[in-house]
Amino acid sequence: MGNSVATIPLPDRQSPNIVEAFPNDGSTSFKFSLEGRTVYALRGIEASRLFHDPASPVSTLGAFPSHLDAFYGMGTFPSVRSVLLMEGTQHHTAKAELLLAVASEKVAAHCAGVASVLDQTWADWKGTSGKLQERCKQIALRASARCVLGITAETKLRQLDAIASGFSLFDLVGDAAVASSVRDALVGIVDQQTEIESSPDTVEGGGLDDAVLDILMHAADSMNCETVAIVTVHMFVLLWEALARVLVSIVKQLEQHPDIREELRKEAQDAHKANPGCTAANSVLVGSTKQLSFFVKEIKRTTQIAPLPFRRMTDQCDVGGEHFEKDTIVCLATPLMHMDSEQYVDPEKFDPSRFSRDRAEDKQKNGWCWLPHGTGSKNKGHRCASEELTTALMKTLIVTLLQSDWKHDSATGDWAW
């Protein structure tokens, strides 16, 4: 892996749309071709259990499309991989260290820092208008860079954007060489950042001691510096993309549902009054904000916030009445699981109340069809380590939006402040 910082050109590509391709005939799987391999997209409880159970005969190694494998570190020499491609004791130990870096006590500091960034952004945008998706991407970049890499300086944010803005972990089709170049360029930024953090001098863009990168560099005994770099680059891009996606949905839903918007605003105000020692953003993390939690869950249900999980069968296995041979590639069609009419009443409707205690639709079928952050144990499985951080940042974004004056034009895509 190199230390260069460069703008990476990306080719045009088309990715298969799993939601549109899945037959509406009650089937639990369908196959499609990806890079010359047959991949089976699965849905249903048995599929969810396959990805959840640590004893299942599946592995992440050799499962992902080649460009994602490359980005996660496969093929590097000496071998350096993100936690997603680790297995056994190595995976459990690294995952535990990563979870400590995003533990609850760290989340509050992240949200306070991001709230400050958001307040400044909203002030800078006052009286201006821009395309919703592009602005959400800018906000998400700042939030993820601050939390994961400890980067807040505009010069470095522009570098990060130039390097990775055309790359996506959600694309099923890509170029492995390009993905490797993006990875190495981002690792170069991380190397520069760790040099800054280890310097006794204070410089613009210096690291933050609560950033995931800084915590892992000082406390992750099982990871060397190269592994920490890959792990944090992976988390940075994933959190960036997830926040950008959910923020677009949040703005659209708040615009389309003024009654929900007003209800959330009142709840946030009450939470702040009940916790006067906290900022408005942090008060919703410690106070009672049930409606906000329901709203966040519904955004997650209706927005794909994690890339499709892929696995390779390490032994033959039966799933949903179908037989799969060893080395078969499968992926879990999580967006379809969240649109299952047997689990969710009127799934096409945006309805946060479906998560209320009386309905608790996410608890149906023992929760096997509620998978916004993946499946399995957060401690030992491949469920996203940044789940709690993502949820808290979503609440922070929502509260700051509720306090601000803006308007989204669905016809033009403009977001005016």
Side-chain angles (χ1 to χ4, degrees):
M1 294 177 290
N3 294 326
S4 62
V5 177
T7 300
I8 308 298
L10 290 173
D12 293 334
R13 70 273 187 189
Q14 278 191 318
S15 298
N17 190 316
I18 296 297
V19 176
E20 293 180 359
F22 213 110
N24 188 25
D25 59 2
S27 59
T28 56
S29 74
F30 82 97
K31 62 182 179 180
F32 62 95
S33 180
L34 188 61
E35 298 183 337
R37 300 190 300 180
T38 297
V39 179
Y40 289 84
L42 309 179
R43 67 175 173 183
I45 294 177
E46 288 193 39
S48 183
R49 285 174 174 159
L50 175 74
F51 280 69
H52 171 88
D53 189 352
S56 293
V58 293
S59 171
T60 58
L61 298 181
F64 290 93
S66 59
H67 67 292
L68 295 182
D69 259 349
F71 185 79
Y72 299 145
M74 185 67 77
T76 54
F77 184 82
S79 180
V80 180
R81 301 173 182 173
S82 187
V83 176
L84 183 60
L85 297 185
M86 296 179 187
E87 294 190 310
T89 302
Q90 181 191 29
H91 172 268
H92 299 340
T93 303
K95 186 69 176 288
E97 292 172 341
L98 184 56
L99 286 170
L100 286 175
V102 288
S104 298
E105 61 271 18
K106 305 291 192 303
V107 167
H110 288 315
C111 289
V114 168
S116 178
V117 171
L118 293 173
D119 288 341
Q120 184 59 56
T121 301
W122 306 153
D124 293 342
W125 284 358
K126 189 174 182 179
T128 68
S129 178
K131 296 302 180 183
L132 175 63
Q133 291 198 347
E134 184 56 37
R135 286 198 157 184
C136 288
K137 186 178 176 183
Q138 292 175 25
I139 296 167
L141 167 63
R142 284 162 172 72
S144 183
R146 190 254 175 243
C147 295
V148 182
L149 305 180
I151 290 177
T152 57
E154 284 296 324
T155 52
K156 288 203 170 182
L157 290 170
R158 285 194 292 271
Q159 284 183 317
L160 291 170
D161 191 29
I163 290 168
S165 62
F167 177 79
S168 175
L169 296 176
F170 290 77
D171 281 333
L172 300 185
V173 178
D175 187 312
V178 171
S180 297
S181 297
V182 172
R183 177 201 67 210
D184 289 350
L186 290 175
V187 166
I189 294 287
V190 169
D191 289 346
Q192 293 174 12
Q193 192 69 6
T194 53
E195 290 173 6
I196 290 172
E197 290 172 356
S198 62
S199 171
D201 300 322
T202 301
V203 297
E204 181 194 12
L208 302 171
D209 58 12
D210 60 4
V212 173
L213 171 61
D214 187 74
I215 294 171
L216 290 180
M217 280 295 183
H218 289 89
D221 296 331
S222 75
M223 304 184 210
N224 58 25
C225 292
E226 291 77 12
T227 301
V228 168
I230 284 283
V231 169
T232 51
V233 160
H234 179 187
M235 177 176 278
F236 159 67
V237 174
L238 179 59
L239 186 60
W240 179 7
E241 290 203 77
L243 291 177
R245 283 169 167 258
V246 297
L247 185 52
V248 169
S249 296
I250 287 167
V251 171
K252 289 182 177 180
Q253 296 301 339
L254 289 177
E255 184 72 27
Q256 293 173 19
H257 301 280
D259 54 332
I260 293 178
R261 186 173 176 176
E262 183 57 34
E263 182 179 38
L264 294 178
R265 181 186 287 115
K266 184 179 185 305
E267 185 179 62
Q269 290 174 344
D270 291 343
H272 194 199
K273 290 178 182 178
N275 298 275
C278 297
T279 63
N282 272 23
S283 65
V284 300
L285 304 181
V286 298
S288 177
T289 52
K290 291 181 180 180
Q291 299 306 317
L292 179 59
S293 295
F294 299 157
F295 181 79
V296 166
K297 280 191 170 185
E298 185 69 341
I299 290 290
K300 289 182 180 182
R301 185 188 71 85
T302 55
T303 308
Q304 185 184 348
I305 64 173
L308 292 177
F310 284 79
R311 299 291 186 269
R312 176 181 57 83
M313 296 286 193
T314 57
D315 200 352
Q316 59 181 343
C317 182
D318 292 332
V319 182
E322 296 186 61
H323 182 75
F324 298 98
E325 294 291 340
K326 180 181 178 181
D327 291 328
T328 299
I329 305 301
V330 296
C331 72
L332 189 61
T334 48
L336 288 168
M337 306 278 278
H338 289 161
M339 300 302 289
D340 181 0
S341 59
E342 294 184 4
Q343 172 100 7
Y344 301 102
V345 177
D346 197 2
E348 299 290 339
K349 180 182 179 182
F350 187 85
D351 181 12
S353 67
R354 70 175 74 250
F355 296 101
S356 64
R357 178 178 294 183
D358 292 341
R359 296 175 62 181
E361 292 180 12
D362 55 319
K363 302 297 193 299
Q364 302 296 321
K365 299 181 182 178
N366 293 318
W368 287 111
C369 293
W370 170 245
L371 314 163
H373 296 278
T375 63
S377 164
K378 196 190 309 184
N379 295 321
K380 295 184 178 180
H382 288 290
R383 187 165 173 169
C384 185
S386 60
E387 179 176 349
E388 183 178 355
L389 175 60
T390 302
T391 301
L393 288 175
M394 287 176 66
K395 291 182 177 182
T396 300
L397 287 165
I398 293 166
V399 169
T400 59
L401 285 174
L402 294 173
Q403 296 173 323
S404 306
D405 185 18
W406 52 267
K407 185 173 181 59
H408 171 245
D409 188 331
S410 58
T412 65
D414 290 335
W415 194 17
W417 286 74

